[in-house]
Amino acid sequence: MANPRSSVSLRPDIDALPAYVPGERPAKGRQVYKLSSNEVPFPLLPAVGAALVDVGPDLNRYPDMHATRLVEALAEHHGVKPGRITVGNGSVAVLAHVLAAVCEPGDEVVMAWRSFEAYPIATQVAGARPVQVPVDAAGRHDLDAMAAAVTERTRAVLLCSPNNPTGPALTQSEVRRFLETVPPGVLVLLDEAYLEFVRQDDPTDGVALVDDHKNLVVLRTFSKAYGLAGLRVGYAVARRRLSAGFRAAATPFGVSSMALAGAVAALNCQDEVRARVDHVVAERTRVVDALTEQGWRIPDAQGNFVWLELGRRATAFADTARAQGVLVRAFAGEGVRVSVGERDGNDLFLDIAADWLRDRAGLSVL
Ligand SMILES: *Cc1c(COP(=O)(O)O)cnc(C)c1O
């Protein structure tokens, strides 16, 4: 059969996608603090390590495709029916399945910006168009502007709370009000990847809103507070009918046996996880207070990271930090996101931040 193409062409929108920029990794053999990917600095929870070892001999078998044990454990943890839970190979994979299940070519997905860089990529891979609504001067979602950006073409709105990379979180009242504004045929996805680190009044609890809002999808992950970023497990909580669609759009056997067993074990370590999160939050308070004392203005930091709005000096700051042994995540022309890590790493970062201001006293860097 004749075909006029001389080579395989990629979809033009895929060809034009920006690459996801991962947080920098340390060069081999060099002692550096990796504060570039919002990981927690603790070693694997011992009970999770033991569960992974137990799975080893069975790795010749496919995992449980329905992730039964993990889904049941999550259902019990949240007090919801198992039919509401969809697990995936990281919550980024679940996000892709959610968008694949609802978007058609030409649809729009509304999101705050700057927000999580995976959102526009996942939107475009799903064939839809990202509509980015600027965060306000304090790095917060502008929910009124986001509601106003909803059109007939809008299939989904993505809310990120706390917002990566700027830091502020939404309140439950804000989310509730937003859900009452948005038409019921528009999917609202609330990404609570950093929920465990929130220490403000009226924190969001997306799972509690799913009963009243059929269009709400809540995204959670084991990558942050549970410290399992390398294992790749995340999940969505949504009404049963939607969840069935997300599962249908997912890769079969997409979550490995190791990831399933590790996540179940981690869920059973609530006290240890809480203690670790409390430690990170205490360090976050110390870092924010010290930066404020130095003269930096930091948006409200409710995740395990802080945002320095450095504008065109973002890359230079990251280069300076790297030279001194601290890897941070620069967003060129916008700012730098610095994860809260181990105490020594945080101290070194604080020294670098203080020197930066001192070296530029009189310049407008804030
Ligand atoms: C880190 C992060 C996630 C987690 O992604 P996984 O695929 O579960 O590792 C999700 N959303 C946001 C906003 C994040 O920053």
Side-chain angles (χ1 to χ4, degrees), residues 63-88:
D64 171 9
M65 184 160 125
H66 303 297
T68 316
R69 274 185 62 214
L70 177 56
V71 166
E72 281 172 359
L74 285 168
E76 193 183 316
H77 179 70
H78 288 297
V80 302
K81 293 249 173 65
R84 289 193 173 180
I85 312 267
T86 307
V87 300

Side-chain angles (χ1 to χ4, degrees), residues 218-296:
V218 180
L219 215 53
R220 298 279 189 93
T221 182
F222 284 91
S223 296
K224 305 288 157 55
Y226 289 96
L228 297 179
L231 203 56
R232 313 304 304 127
V233 207
Y235 59 99
V237 184
R239 297 295 280 267
R240 191 187 180 89
R241 184 178 69 85
L242 290 180
S243 299
F246 307 155
R247 291 176 187 185
T251 316
F253 306 108
V255 186
S256 76
S257 315
M258 288 255 180
L260 294 175
V264 170
L267 261 189
N268 285 326
C269 299
Q270 290 302 319
D271 291 346
E272 270 167 288
V273 170
R274 206 169 299 124
R276 288 174 163 204
V277 167
D278 284 346
H279 177 87
V280 171
V281 169
E283 277 295 286
R284 177 182 76 199
T285 305
R286 193 175 72 82
V287 167
V288 169
D289 288 351
L291 289 170
T292 308
E293 179 81 8
Q294 290 175 15
W296 293 89

Side-chain angles (χ1 to χ4, degrees), residues 90-92 116 119 160 164 191 193-194 221 223-224 232-233:
S91 57
V92 170
F116 187 30
Y119 296 161
C160 187
N164 174 9
D191 184 349
Y194 302 96
T221 182
S223 296
K224 305 288 157 55
R232 313 304 304 127
V233 207

Side-chain angles (χ1 to χ4, degrees), residues 15 26 49 54 59 75 95 102 109 113 125 134 196-197 205 216 219 227 247 253 256 265 279 286 312 325 328 344:
D15 223 8
D54 282 348
L59 287 176
L95 170 70
V102 299
V109 175
W113 204 252
V125 171
E196 294 87 346
F197 301 99
D205 175 4
L216 178 64
L219 215 53
R247 291 176 187 185
F253 306 108
S256 76
H279 177 87
R286 193 175 72 82
R312 60 194 173 80
V328 301
D344 290 352

